[in-house]
Amino acid sequence: MFGRIKSALVSQERIVLVTAVILFCVFSLFLKGFLSAANLLTLVRSVSVLGVLGVAMAIVVIGRGVDLAIVATYAMSAAWTLRLATQGVAIGPALLLGLALAVAVGLINGLLIAFAEIPALFATLGMAAFVYGFVRFALVPLVVVYMPANAASISWIGGGFVAGVPTPILLFALVAFLGHAFLAFTKAGRFIYAMGDNFAAARNSGAPVRGLIVLQYALSAAIAYVAGIITATAVSSVNTNVVNSSLIYDVILVVVLGGIGLSGGRGGIRNVLVGTLLIGILLNGMTIMNIQYTLQNVIRSLILLSAIVLDSLVNPRDEQTEQQGDI
Amino acid sequence: MTIGEWATGLRYRYVPDHVVGEVLGRKWVDNVVPITLLAAVVIYLTATIPNFISLGNLSDISRQIGEFGLIVIGMTVVMIAGGIDLSVGSNFALANVTALALLNVARWPVAASVVATLGVGALAGLVNGLLIGFLKLRAFLTTLVILTLVRAIVEFLLQIYSVRIASSDVEAPAWDFLGAGSVLGAPVSVIALAAVALAAQVALTRLRIGWRIMAVGGSRRAAYNAGIPVPATVCLTYVVSGVLTSLAGVLYAARLSGAGPDTGLGLELNVVTAALLGGNSVGGGRGSVGKALMGAVIVSLLTNGLVRLGLESGASSMVVGLVLLFAIGIDVRWSKWRHRLRAKVYVSPAYLKLPPAPKFIAGASSPYAINDRLRDVEIIGMKEVDGPEDVILDEDGHLYCGVRHGEIVRFLAPDHVRREVYAHVGGRPLGMAFDRAGALVVCIAGMGLYRVDRDRKAQKLTAETNRSPLSIIDDSRMRLADDLDIAPDGKIYFSEATVRYGFEEWVVDALEGRGNGRIICYDPATSSTRTVLRNLLFANGVCVAHDNKSVLFAETWGCRVSRYWLEGPKAGRVEPVISDLPGYPDNINRGSGGAYWVALAGTRTPSYDLAMTMPGFRRRMARRVAADEWLFPNVNIGCVVHFDESGEILETLWDAEGENHPAITSMREHRGYLYLGGVTNNRIGRLKLADADPNWTGPRSYWGATP
């Protein structure tokens, strides 16, 4: 049975890593210009926002949740920040207000899931629609918000270079490092693992599970806001239609592909890095090969599908142990 | 009686508290929230939007509802089995583009295009089903991925076909009819929806496949262990969803004939919201087609109304998100709280004022004074029987009793030492009687009235009576058939102790003190069952009088024995025989010399009698105190009362120490001996009666000398 493939040798992370290395080698050999330093920087840079969102999602998924509102938070809070700046609010307060909006969304998610006991999938799905609709309706009446001149002071966040390395890559590294430190070394981080591994046991042994759930969604929303600001400053605008795109699936793809089981309690930030790299290599390669965008979408969906199938084979569920209503 | 007591009596007689708990126990109560919402939405929209209910708008909305409702029914079927199908948005778009491409570009005939499109929908559903049913993937994420995959495929197809679809037009009356035609004033999509809804309703509630889907959603593990093919059943639900979604897509294609990139975008959110809002449960097992339709209408009206109110583009998304959160919140809370709430309010005590209890302490002057005449009885079947509620002897002297294991045990004459299982009937056998043919008729708690013939074959006589018109719980079903007797014309009169509780909860009925019991008559000549008397206080023992003109019956919590006249000038009337027993009467049986025996399962206590006049106190107790701490009637000491036709007490036999017979629920006289049974006892007692007719037997008293 595939269920036995749990040994470290054939873990999903390793499969993905090997696949990424093989793809990297093949692309390096056969694709012209793939191996150039400029292309490699572009490659990582293009997926660094995805990686930051992946870190946010990873924190939630490890605690046996899922945050489908992550992209809505990412786009709408950044859009509101730019909108506020456009309306004449100083950039500092505008950034803080945007962060406050994102954290509020995260808190509501957490409260709905922890206290109203609404399943995470539905709570965040509903919140995604609500946040998008609410911000478009009440705060940002435009589809695309451009960065105003008075916000130029923060354009280094997404557009700068440090020692020749684009800042998004460095920020991705920083977020990944902090995320890893949180999960691996803080008490809350360890409790999140415990909660994801066995929720009832964690609660019974006294972990403050409700507070932890709220914390992880608030954290995920705050990290999503960071990603939003990186995007906004990198391309000097926010397109709110990204909420209706397939970005959310790419974020899940990064997490699941990297080997963080959706049933929680497994994996870490390292898996996000591996997943992000594979996606980066694939997208970059397909772009160089000049594959149509729509076909790229089909390929990406198929890869995500196989990742989920693989996930369920490595972490199998069965009729006897399955939780009723766990969809 | 004080004015306060009088007022309490009135209040508990006329305010039907018990209805609340009963309503909460019914399935239809789930629909209260969606119906209220629907009414609110309709009222609000008609009040704020001019001409909202105009004919043109209605037929426009109804076409949309027709398409939308089909998808919601598909989603409901999936959700009842415990899954979810988010891929409907893309599958809808795929069906749209497939139908148009086949018709406009490939020039297929209409019928072939429609069938092929439905096939494509089934295929998409099959992919979902295989992944979720057989590979056991998580439904939510899998269908989400299929959503993006199919969306990508749709975009791919649009790149190739959209221009050609737009530039060619097909002249096909059948196609136009699908999109714009109506039958008897109803648009085609509404007709389709009605047909599908009817079929789905019949399939879900009446066919094996529907029951399987319900079972899988209700408890996946139990369904698996019961041998239901869970993977195939789950898979099928997704195929159904795929087909229905593509049918909606075909109707949409026929209506608008346009293929754009935003067809069906975000549709899945609306569909899930509608299904949940109607009252279908996440995680399965609870849901119906009616709920789906209700949810579909609410969400359609809401989104349509928002568009007509001219709100910004974000408003629709905001409202749908909010409604989704609200619906799922209600669903989670409701399914969690409903049973808890029902458990709290179901027990609803009533006011019961009993006449003063006669004194029965040893040495009292009343005929009930405690003695020790049952101390030295012979013991039969010690530790071999578990709870012989009723005992009976046939003409040959064999002793029968029902035991807790669902068996009727027979002790063989003459010494009643050898024991055999006479028949296995299941349930909890209680009262018994022999009919003219010598077959044993048994009341079985939870099952109804059964007959075990002389070949030991058990056969159901009846388990259903006429339902009373205003009852909320289904009182046509028999929960606690208790004791019976048979009239010379073969009619079987039997008691049902309570319609609100099962056998294990008899003591809760004591706490209520409302007349929940009844006497039912089964006529074997016509195989008909009808309720004779209602609202009895735990109807228990039943005995046809020696002259066969009336039936005696005992009301346990009423501490009385009454007579129901079958014939004569008082036919159909009830009159008291003994109205102030010192305890709780159980079975009544005939004795020699024209007398009767009634067993008292326990004695009245002043505290319990007082509590029965204080319903508020008992209700607080039922709500706030754990059930095993509740007030309990005293059933630790029992006795047998011997009385004559007029209700005069002849003698009383007590077991003062309660060693052999702590509670006595039944006794039979046979050839000068009295046999004693008890529902909680582990033995049967046998007592020599000093001045009884040594040749008297029960069967002969009923059916004469010839068996």
Side-chain angles (χ1 to χ4, degrees), chain B residues 349-367:
Chain B
Y351 177 81
L352 176 65
K353 176 91 173 167
L354 292 174
K359 288 223 178 320
F360 56 89
I361 53 166
S365 58
S366 85

mmCIF file with all atom_site columns, all heavy atoms in Angstrom, chain B residues 349-367:
data_model
loop_
_atom_site.group_PDB
_atom_site.id
_atom_site.type_symbol
_atom_site.label_atom_id
_atom_site.label_alt_id
_atom_site.label_comp_id
_atom_site.label_asym_id
_atom_site.label_entity_id
_atom_site.label_seq_id
_atom_site.pdbx_PDB_ins_code
_atom_site.Cartn_x
_atom_site.Cartn_y
_atom_site.Cartn_z
_atom_site.occupancy
_atom_site.B_iso_or_equiv
_atom_site.pdbx_formal_charge
_atom_site.auth_seq_id
_atom_site.auth_comp_id
_atom_site.auth_asym_id
_atom_site.auth_atom_id
_atom_site.pdbx_PDB_model_num
ATOM 1   N N   . PRO B 1 349 ? -43.786 18.549 33.214 1.00 0.00 ? 349 PRO B N   1
ATOM 2   C CA  . PRO B 1 349 ? -44.675 18.062 34.260 1.00 0.00 ? 349 PRO B CA  1
ATOM 3   C C   . PRO B 1 349 ? -46.027 18.782 34.252 1.00 0.00 ? 349 PRO B C   1
ATOM 4   O O   . PRO B 1 349 ? -46.116 19.942 33.842 1.00 0.00 ? 349 PRO B O   1
ATOM 5   C CB  . PRO B 1 349 ? -43.918 18.385 35.545 1.00 0.00 ? 349 PRO B CB  1
ATOM 6   C CG  . PRO B 1 349 ? -42.505 18.550 35.134 1.00 0.00 ? 349 PRO B CG  1
ATOM 7   C CD  . PRO B 1 349 ? -42.552 19.121 33.760 1.00 0.00 ? 349 PRO B CD  1
ATOM 8   N N   . ALA B 1 350 ? -47.038 18.069 34.695 1.00 0.00 ? 350 ALA B N   1
ATOM 9   C CA  . ALA B 1 350 ? -48.377 18.653 34.790 1.00 0.00 ? 350 ALA B CA  1
ATOM 10  C C   . ALA B 1 350 ? -48.834 18.590 36.248 1.00 0.00 ? 350 ALA B C   1
ATOM 11  O O   . ALA B 1 350 ? -48.180 17.994 37.095 1.00 0.00 ? 350 ALA B O   1
ATOM 12  C CB  . ALA B 1 350 ? -49.332 17.885 33.893 1.00 0.00 ? 350 ALA B CB  1
ATOM 13  N N   . TYR B 1 351 ? -49.960 19.216 36.494 1.00 0.00 ? 351 TYR B N   1
ATOM 14  C CA  . TYR B 1 351 ? -50.504 19.260 37.851 1.00 0.00 ? 351 TYR B CA  1
ATOM 15  C C   . TYR B 1 351 ? -51.322 18.001 38.100 1.00 0.00 ? 351 TYR B C   1
ATOM 16  O O   . TYR B 1 351 ? -52.190 17.658 37.299 1.00 0.00 ? 351 TYR B O   1
ATOM 17  C CB  . TYR B 1 351 ? -51.384 20.509 37.984 1.00 0.00 ? 351 TYR B CB  1
ATOM 18  C CG  . TYR B 1 351 ? -52.073 20.648 39.313 1.00 0.00 ? 351 TYR B CG  1
ATOM 19  C CD1 . TYR B 1 351 ? -51.394 21.162 40.410 1.00 0.00 ? 351 TYR B CD1 1
ATOM 20  C CD2 . TYR B 1 351 ? -53.401 20.284 39.460 1.00 0.00 ? 351 TYR B CD2 1
ATOM 21  C CE1 . TYR B 1 351 ? -52.029 21.295 41.625 1.00 0.00 ? 351 TYR B CE1 1
ATOM 22  C CE2 . TYR B 1 351 ? -54.045 20.424 40.675 1.00 0.00 ? 351 TYR B CE2 1
ATOM 23  C CZ  . TYR B 1 351 ? -53.353 20.930 41.760 1.00 0.00 ? 351 TYR B CZ  1
ATOM 24  O OH  . TYR B 1 351 ? -53.976 21.071 42.961 1.00 0.00 ? 351 TYR B OH  1
ATOM 25  N N   . LEU B 1 352 ? -51.031 17.299 39.188 1.00 0.00 ? 352 LEU B N   1
ATOM 26  C CA  . LEU B 1 352 ? -51.788 16.099 39.504 1.00 0.00 ? 352 LEU B CA  1
ATOM 27  C C   . LEU B 1 352 ? -52.080 16.067 40.994 1.00 0.00 ? 352 LEU B C   1
ATOM 28  O O   . LEU B 1 352 ? -51.177 15.963 41.823 1.00 0.00 ? 352 LEU B O   1
ATOM 29  C CB  . LEU B 1 352 ? -50.994 14.853 39.098 1.00 0.00 ? 352 LEU B CB  1
ATOM 30  C CG  . LEU B 1 352 ? -51.640 13.517 39.457 1.00 0.00 ? 352 LEU B CG  1
ATOM 31  C CD1 . LEU B 1 352 ? -52.937 13.324 38.691 1.00 0.00 ? 352 LEU B CD1 1
ATOM 32  C CD2 . LEU B 1 352 ? -50.698 12.369 39.170 1.00 0.00 ? 352 LEU B CD2 1
ATOM 33  N N   . LYS B 1 353 ? -53.351 16.167 41.338 1.00 0.00 ? 353 LYS B N   1
ATOM 34  C CA  . LYS B 1 353 ? -53.755 16.141 42.735 1.00 0.00 ? 353 LYS B CA  1
ATOM 35  C C   . LYS B 1 353 ? -54.412 14.799 42.994 1.00 0.00 ? 353 LYS B C   1
ATOM 36  O O   . LYS B 1 353 ? -55.480 14.507 42.454 1.00 0.00 ? 353 LYS B O   1
ATOM 37  C CB  . LYS B 1 353 ? -54.747 17.288 42.994 1.00 0.00 ? 353 LYS B CB  1
ATOM 38  C CG  . LYS B 1 353 ? -55.312 17.318 44.387 1.00 0.00 ? 353 LYS B CG  1
ATOM 39  C CD  . LYS B 1 353 ? -54.468 18.163 45.300 1.00 0.00 ? 353 LYS B CD  1
ATOM 40  C CE  . LYS B 1 353 ? -55.147 18.321 46.659 1.00 0.00 ? 353 LYS B CE  1
ATOM 41  N NZ  . LYS B 1 353 ? -54.206 18.873 47.637 1.00 0.00 ? 353 LYS B NZ  1
ATOM 42  N N   . LEU B 1 354 ? -53.770 13.956 43.806 1.00 0.00 ? 354 LEU B N   1
ATOM 43  C CA  . LEU B 1 354 ? -54.331 12.649 44.109 1.00 0.00 ? 354 LEU B CA  1
ATOM 44  C C   . LEU B 1 354 ? -55.198 12.753 45.360 1.00 0.00 ? 354 LEU B C   1
ATOM 45  O O   . LEU B 1 354 ? -54.957 13.611 46.207 1.00 0.00 ? 354 LEU B O   1
ATOM 46  C CB  . LEU B 1 354 ? -53.196 11.656 44.365 1.00 0.00 ? 354 LEU B CB  1
ATOM 47  C CG  . LEU B 1 354 ? -52.336 11.310 43.146 1.00 0.00 ? 354 LEU B CG  1
ATOM 48  C CD1 . LEU B 1 354 ? -51.168 10.453 43.567 1.00 0.00 ? 354 LEU B CD1 1
ATOM 49  C CD2 . LEU B 1 354 ? -53.151 10.606 42.089 1.00 0.00 ? 354 LEU B CD2 1
ATOM 50  N N   . PRO B 1 355 ? -56.212 11.889 45.471 1.00 0.00 ? 355 PRO B N   1
ATOM 51  C CA  . PRO B 1 355 ? -56.985 11.863 46.717 1.00 0.00 ? 355 PRO B CA  1
ATOM 52  C C   . PRO B 1 355 ? -56.081 11.415 47.861 1.00 0.00 ? 355 PRO B C   1
ATOM 53  O O   . PRO B 1 355 ? -55.069 10.772 47.620 1.00 0.00 ? 355 PRO B O   1
ATOM 54  C CB  . PRO B 1 355 ? -58.087 10.833 46.431 1.00 0.00 ? 355 PRO B CB  1
ATOM 55  C CG  . PRO B 1 355 ? -57.564 10.006 45.309 1.00 0.00 ? 355 PRO B CG  1
ATOM 56  C CD  . PRO B 1 355 ? -56.674 10.880 44.497 1.00 0.00 ? 355 PRO B CD  1
ATOM 57  N N   . PRO B 1 356 ? -56.446 11.739 49.108 1.00 0.00 ? 356 PRO B N   1
ATOM 58  C CA  . PRO B 1 356 ? -55.594 11.366 50.244 1.00 0.00 ? 356 PRO B CA  1
ATOM 59  C C   . PRO B 1 356 ? -55.332 9.874  50.254 1.00 0.00 ? 356 PRO B C   1
ATOM 60  O O   . PRO B 1 356 ? -56.223 9.072  49.971 1.00 0.00 ? 356 PRO B O   1
ATOM 61  C CB  . PRO B 1 356 ? -56.429 11.781 51.459 1.00 0.00 ? 356 PRO B CB  1
ATOM 62  C CG  . PRO B 1 356 ? -57.431 12.733 50.947 1.00 0.00 ? 356 PRO B CG  1
ATOM 63  C CD  . PRO B 1 356 ? -57.661 12.440 49.509 1.00 0.00 ? 356 PRO B CD  1
ATOM 64  N N   . ALA B 1 357 ? -54.090 9.501  50.565 1.00 0.00 ? 357 ALA B N   1
ATOM 65  C CA  . ALA B 1 357 ? -53.735 8.089  50.555 1.00 0.00 ? 357 ALA B CA  1
ATOM 66  C C   . ALA B 1 357 ? -54.244 7.418  51.821 1.00 0.00 ? 357 ALA B C   1
ATOM 67  O O   . ALA B 1 357 ? -54.151 7.979  52.909 1.00 0.00 ? 357 ALA B O   1
ATOM 68  C CB  . ALA B 1 357 ? -52.218 7.945  50.475 1.00 0.00 ? 357 ALA B CB  1
ATOM 69  N N   . PRO B 1 358 ? -54.808 6.225  51.688 1.00 0.00 ? 358 PRO B N   1
ATOM 70  C CA  . PRO B 1 358 ? -55.213 5.490  52.878 1.00 0.00 ? 358 PRO B CA  1
ATOM 71  C C   . PRO B 1 358 ? -53.993 5.069  53.684 1.00 0.00 ? 358 PRO B C   1
ATOM 72  O O   . PRO B 1 358 ? -52.919 4.875  53.116 1.00 0.00 ? 358 PRO B O   1
ATOM 73  C CB  . PRO B 1 358 ? -55.951 4.268  52.312 1.00 0.00 ? 358 PRO B CB  1
ATOM 74  C CG  . PRO B 1 358 ? -55.404 4.108  50.934 1.00 0.00 ? 358 PRO B CG  1
ATOM 75  C CD  . PRO B 1 358 ? -55.050 5.467  50.435 1.00 0.00 ? 358 PRO B CD  1
ATOM 76  N N   . LYS B 1 359 ? -54.151 4.969  54.993 1.00 0.00 ? 359 LYS B N   1
ATOM 77  C CA  . LYS B 1 359 ? -53.022 4.564  55.845 1.00 0.00 ? 359 LYS B CA  1
ATOM 78  C C   . LYS B 1 359 ? -52.713 3.094  55.607 1.00 0.00 ? 359 LYS B C   1
ATOM 79  O O   . LYS B 1 359 ? -53.622 2.277  55.505 1.00 0.00 ? 359 LYS B O   1
ATOM 80  C CB  . LYS B 1 359 ? -53.390 4.792  57.303 1.00 0.00 ? 359 LYS B CB  1
ATOM 81  C CG  . LYS B 1 359 ? -53.442 6.250  57.699 1.00 0.00 ? 359 LYS B CG  1
ATOM 82  C CD  . LYS B 1 359 ? -52.770 6.412  59.044 1.00 0.00 ? 359 LYS B CD  1
ATOM 83  C CE  . LYS B 1 359 ? -52.732 7.860  59.516 1.00 0.00 ? 359 LYS B CE  1
ATOM 84  N NZ  . LYS B 1 359 ? -52.452 8.823  58.471 1.00 0.00 ? 359 LYS B NZ  1
ATOM 85  N N   . PHE B 1 360 ? -51.444 2.765  55.509 1.00 0.00 ? 360 PHE B N   1
ATOM 86  C CA  . PHE B 1 360 ? -51.133 1.350  55.322 1.00 0.00 ? 360 PHE B CA  1
ATOM 87  C C   . PHE B 1 360 ? -50.011 0.866  56.223 1.00 0.00 ? 360 PHE B C   1
ATOM 88  O O   . PHE B 1 360 ? -49.446 -0.193 56.003 1.00 0.00 ? 360 PHE B O   1
ATOM 89  C CB  . PHE B 1 360 ? -50.831 1.058  53.851 1.00 0.00 ? 360 PHE B CB  1
ATOM 90  C CG  . PHE B 1 360 ? -49.716 1.887  53.257 1.00 0.00 ? 360 PHE B CG  1
ATOM 91  C CD1 . PHE B 1 360 ? -48.402 1.455  53.321 1.00 0.00 ? 360 PHE B CD1 1
ATOM 92  C CD2 . PHE B 1 360 ? -49.998 3.077  52.615 1.00 0.00 ? 360 PHE B CD2 1
ATOM 93  C CE1 . PHE B 1 360 ? -47.395 2.218  52.758 1.00 0.00 ? 360 PHE B CE1 1
ATOM 94  C CE2 . PHE B 1 360 ? -48.985 3.832  52.064 1.00 0.00 ? 360 PHE B CE2 1
ATOM 95  C CZ  . PHE B 1 360 ? -47.688 3.416  52.128 1.00 0.00 ? 360 PHE B CZ  1
ATOM 96  N N   . ILE B 1 361 ? -49.672 1.650  57.232 1.00 0.00 ? 361 ILE B N   1
ATOM 97  C CA  . ILE B 1 361 ? -48.644 1.154  58.146 1.00 0.00 ? 361 ILE B CA  1
ATOM 98  C C   . ILE B 1 361 ? -49.204 -0.048 58.921 1.00 0.00 ? 361 ILE B C   1
ATOM 99  O O   . ILE B 1 361 ? -50.417 -0.221 59.033 1.00 0.00 ? 361 ILE B O   1
ATOM 100 C CB  . ILE B 1 361 ? -48.182 2.236  59.155 1.00 0.00 ? 361 ILE B CB  1
ATOM 101 C CG1 . ILE B 1 361 ? -49.391 2.827  59.886 1.00 0.00 ? 361 ILE B CG1 1
ATOM 102 C CG2 . ILE B 1 361 ? -47.383 3.299  58.475 1.00 0.00 ? 361 ILE B CG2 1
ATOM 103 C CD1 . ILE B 1 361 ? -48.997 3.631  61.089 1.00 0.00 ? 361 ILE B CD1 1
ATOM 104 N N   . ALA B 1 362 ? -48.294 -0.875 59.407 1.00 0.00 ? 362 ALA B N   1
ATOM 105 C CA  . ALA B 1 362 ? -48.702 -2.088 60.098 1.00 0.00 ? 362 ALA B CA  1
ATOM 106 C C   . ALA B 1 362 ? -49.603 -1.726 61.272 1.00 0.00 ? 362 ALA B C   1
ATOM 107 O O   . ALA B 1 362 ? -49.313 -0.787 62.018 1.00 0.00 ? 362 ALA B O   1
ATOM 108 C CB  . ALA B 1 362 ? -47.476 -2.854 60.599 1.00 0.00 ? 362 ALA B CB  1
ATOM 109 N N   . GLY B 1 363 ? -50.703 -2.433 61.382 1.00 0.00 ? 363 GLY B N   1
ATOM 110 C CA  . GLY B 1 363 ? -51.600 -2.203 62.501 1.00 0.00 ? 363 GLY B CA  1
ATOM 111 C C   . GLY B 1 363 ? -52.653 -1.155 62.232 1.00 0.00 ? 363 GLY B C   1
ATOM 112 O O   . GLY B 1 363 ? -53.524 -0.927 63.061 1.00 0.00 ? 363 GLY B O   1
ATOM 113 N N   . ALA B 1 364 ? -52.582 -0.521 61.077 1.00 0.00 ? 364 ALA B N   1
ATOM 114 C CA  . ALA B 1 364 ? -53.602 0.476  60.766 1.00 0.00 ? 364 ALA B CA  1
ATOM 115 C C   . ALA B 1 364 ? -54.943 -0.216 60.585 1.00 0.00 ? 364 ALA B C   1
ATOM 116 O O   . ALA B 1 364 ? -55.013 -1.413 60.301 1.00 0.00 ? 364 ALA B O   1
ATOM 117 C CB  . ALA B 1 364 ? -53.227 1.240  59.503 1.00 0.00 ? 364 ALA B CB  1
ATOM 118 N N   . SER B 1 365 ? -56.004 0.560  60.714 1.00 0.00 ? 365 SER B N   1
ATOM 119 C CA  . SER B 1 365 ? -57.307 -0.071 60.653 1.00 0.00 ? 365 SER B CA  1
ATOM 120 C C   . SER B 1 365 ? -57.781 -0.288 59.219 1.00 0.00 ? 365 SER B C   1
ATOM 121 O O   . SER B 1 365 ? -58.780 -0.948 58.984 1.00 0.00 ? 365 SER B O   1
ATOM 122 C CB  . SER B 1 365 ? -58.320 0.804  61.407 1.00 0.00 ? 365 SER B CB  1
ATOM 123 O OG  . SER B 1 365 ? -58.335 2.087  60.823 1.00 0.00 ? 365 SER B OG  1
ATOM 124 N N   . SER B 1 366 ? -57.082 0.283  58.250 1.00 0.00 ? 366 SER B N   1
ATOM 125 C CA  . SER B 1 366 ? -57.520 0.146  56.859 1.00 0.00 ? 366 SER B CA  1
ATOM 126 C C   . SER B 1 366 ? -57.200 -1.268 56.363 1.00 0.00 ? 366 SER B C   1
ATOM 127 O O   . SER B 1 366 ? -56.352 -1.948 56.927 1.00 0.00 ? 366 SER B O   1
ATOM 128 C CB  . SER B 1 366 ? -56.814 1.182  55.987 1.00 0.00 ? 366 SER B CB  1
ATOM 129 O OG  . SER B 1 366 ? -55.563 0.696  55.575 1.00 0.00 ? 366 SER B OG  1
ATOM 130 N N   . PRO B 1 367 ? -57.899 -1.715 55.321 1.00 0.00 ? 367 PRO B N   1
ATOM 131 C CA  . PRO B 1 367 ? -57.621 -3.066 54.796 1.00 0.00 ? 367 PRO B CA  1
ATOM 132 C C   . PRO B 1 367 ? -56.219 -3.176 54.190 1.00 0.00 ? 367 PRO B C   1
ATOM 133 O O   . PRO B 1 367 ? -55.784 -4.259 53.832 1.00 0.00 ? 367 PRO B O   1
ATOM 134 C CB  . PRO B 1 367 ? -58.700 -3.254 53.743 1.00 0.00 ? 367 PRO B CB  1
ATOM 135 C CG  . PRO B 1 367 ? -59.149 -1.882 53.381 1.00 0.00 ? 367 PRO B CG  1
ATOM 136 C CD  . PRO B 1 367 ? -58.980 -1.035 54.599 1.00 0.00 ? 367 PRO B CD  1
#
